[in-house]
Amino acid sequence: MRAAPLAATALAAALLLTGCSSGSDSSGGDSAAASPSNGTTCRIAHMDVEVGPANVAPAAGDTGNIPVTLTNQSAECTLDGFPGIDLNATDSSVNVSPEEGTKSTKLTLAKGTAATFTLTYTRGEAGGKASLDVKTLNIALPGAGTAKSYKWSYGPVAGRSDNPDAPNASVSAFTQAGD
């Protein structure tokens, strides 16, 4: 007689555990796909983050590139997925998607080693209806759920021609930095 209540309890617990995650993290990615299968997920709080120096887009319609270098300051960890990038204006925020056709690679970072990625954007027209007047850049690591905010000083970001509410910007995959 006790087997049925125990089985029901085990099933309920399993459903509860799988229901704890909505399947997406704060970076806009799929947390199940972004979580490493072994090792510890890298946390932004344990990284020394360098944003730039940038190849700034000088005028509306020009393309700029902002390299970001993450140096692990803690125990060995894994990056598995794409960086989560949000561009924040005064009254709105947009998520930046990975470069079209780009595949992520799983990287393991020992303490003191680094990875890089690049944010590419098209500069928008100042005050333009289809431009986002970005104030801050939020960076999150895949599967980690928390982000750090950095000042944006690269001008407004243009909206895409097929969807002016989406930024004309993309983020590359992580690559190992250094030797």
Side-chain angles (χ1 to χ4, degrees):
M1 295 288 183
R2 292 184 76 116
L6 286 176
T9 302
L11 178 61
L15 290 173
L16 180 61
L17 287 174
T18 58
C20 287
S21 173
S22 65
S24 66
D25 60 22
S26 67
S27 67
D30 185 326
S31 61
S35 300
S37 57
N38 59 9
T40 303
T41 301
C42 292
R43 306 282 181 207
I44 194 90
H46 299 155
M47 296 286 170
D48 178 30
V49 181
E50 181 181 348
V51 179
N55 171 16
V56 178
D62 291 341
T63 300
N65 297 297
I66 305 164
V68 177
T69 304
L70 307 161
T71 305
N72 185 14
Q73 299 300 314
S74 189
E76 182 176 282
C77 64
T78 304
L79 294 169
D80 191 8
F82 285 94
I85 302 295
D86 289 323
L87 301 177
N88 304 303
T90 301
D91 58 353
S92 64
S93 178
V94 294
N95 183 264
V96 176
S97 298
E99 290 175 357
E100 193 172 318
T102 301
K103 294 183 179 177
S104 68
T105 55
K106 185 176 182 177
L107 294 179
T108 299
L109 297 179
K111 183 175 182 173
T113 62
T116 64
F117 67 89
T118 301
L119 171 63
T120 301
Y121 72 100
T122 300
R123 187 164 183 151
E125 188 177 319
K129 198 175 194 179
S131 294
L132 181 67
D133 188 19
V134 179
K135 303 292 182 196
T136 59
L137 162 71
N138 284 359
I139 301 172
L141 301 182
T146 58
K148 274 190 177 178
S149 185
Y150 300 89
K151 184 177 179 185
W152 180 271
S153 59
Y154 313 111
V157 175
R160 292 189 346 219
S161 60
D162 62 334
N163 181 1
D165 292 332
N168 193 346
S170 63
V171 63
S172 71
F174 291 107
T175 58
Q176 194 82 38
D179 302 347

